Amino acid sequence: DAGVTQSPTHLIKTRGQQVTLRCSPKSGHDTVSWYQQALGQGPQFIFQYYEEEERQRGNFPDRFSGHQFPNYSSELNVNALLLGDSALYLCASSSLPNEQFFGPGTRLTVL
Amino acid sequence: AQRVTQPEKLLSVFKGAPVELKCNYSYSGSPELFWYVQYSRQRLQLLLRHISRESIKGFTADLNKGETSFHLKKPFAQEEDSAMYYCALGRGSTLGRLYFGRGTQLTVWP
């Protein structure tokens, strides 16, 4: 089991563009959470998906949206990118509450 | 509101010295506390959680509800302990959402 995988590793976009990040959970996990980690900060919760629905959401604008597929993989979409969206985006999967396994992250740079 | 505070951004000790990474939290309910570690060029990984009361890699952490703290301790630090450490708070009602502190970069000098 490769654990949680994320793609792409790095991404460079310009302001106003849209981006899609992808995550495949660890085998046997049905819940996927997304976090944003700005430089020098701890991860901040964006939202969580379970059974293909957004189960809970953090304090992020509607520009941030997501999706979960029947195979439990997930996408994070960010529209109208701002410079402040530059960060490491982490995906975490779990089968039990709070026991989360993290992926390596996608580094997004917005110019 | 939930909050996790790690007062030290950087912490340096010599090999063999005791180390304590501080974590304080604010939450009125029954918290679940975790320590995550990120070694250089590796992903974030769970080090320990308070409910398991385990000692992992010589690290221990005790939940002190009176002081709302969950400090991470190791009696004899090793060079391989050098990493970024994050304290995280989970609540049973939020089904997996974690609140992270900003992290403490631990450096163990030879």
Side-chain angles (χ1 to χ4, degrees):
Chain A
D1 181 16
V4 180
T5 60
Q6 293 186 243
S7 63
T9 305
H10 297 89
L11 207 50
I12 299 176
K13 292 286 188 179
T14 56
R15 281 178 296 175
Q17 285 189 311
Q18 179 264 342
V19 68
T20 297
L21 311 182
R22 295 176 176 82
C23 170
S24 291
K26 185 177 169 63
S27 178
H29 287 183
D30 57 9
T31 302
V32 173
S33 301
W34 286 92
Y35 292 81
Q36 180 195 66
Q37 186 173 19
L39 201 60
Q41 302 296 321
Q44 287 210 357
F45 179 81
I46 303 175
F47 43 52
Q48 183 184 82
Y49 277 83
Y50 172 71
E51 292 189 342
E52 302 180 51
E53 290 191 0
E54 184 182 290
R55 183 158 64 177
Q56 53 178 323
R57 188 180 182 91
N59 190 25
F60 279 80
D62 292 344
R63 298 186 297 109
F64 289 77
S65 64
H67 189 76
Q68 186 179 34
F69 299 93
N71 67 353
Y72 308 121
S73 66
S74 177
E75 288 183 349
L76 164 65
N77 300 291
V78 187
N79 294 321
L81 284 167
L82 304 174
L83 295 179
D85 295 331
S86 294
L88 181 68
Y89 288 84
L90 297 170
C91 171
S93 73
S94 60
S95 60
L96 296 171
N98 292 336
E99 190 166 0
Q100 299 191 20
F101 292 79
F102 284 82
T106 294
R107 173 73 62 187
L108 172 65
T109 302
V110 182
L111 302 176
Chain B
Q2 295 71 232
R3 175 177 284 188
V4 176
T5 303
Q6 294 181 250
E8 303 134 333
K9 194 170 184 179
L10 302 171
L11 183 62
S12 294
V13 299
F14 285 102
K15 177 182 174 181
V19 63
E20 181 179 51
L21 292 87
K22 291 184 167 55
C23 172
N24 289 91
Y25 67 92
S26 62
Y27 175 54
S28 57
S30 291
E32 288 190 55
L33 273 298
F34 305 82
W35 277 99
Y36 280 83
V37 61
Q38 187 167 29
Y39 301 102
S40 180
R41 296 188 185 87
Q42 294 187 27
R43 65 184 65 190
L44 200 61
Q45 56 186 284
L46 179 64
L47 180 62
L48 54 81
R49 57 191 303 179
H50 88 273
I51 61 172
S52 64
R53 303 186 68 81
E54 292 178 298
S55 173
I56 305 294
K57 299 185 179 182
F59 284 99
T60 59
D62 290 319
L63 178 59
N64 186 323
K65 291 187 178 181
E67 296 183 358
T68 60
S69 68
F70 188 57
H71 303 327
L72 183 67
K73 301 176 184 178
K74 185 169 183 176
F76 308 102
Q78 303 299 315
E79 290 178 67
E80 56 265 30
D81 297 328
S82 295
M84 180 68 87
Y85 291 80
Y86 293 96
C87 182
L89 165 71
R91 308 179 331 189
S93 62
T94 57
L95 301 174
R97 174 177 183 170
L98 294 176
Y99 299 82
F100 283 86
R102 66 172 179 172
T104 298
Q105 177 67 50
L106 173 66
T107 301
V108 181
W109 299 104

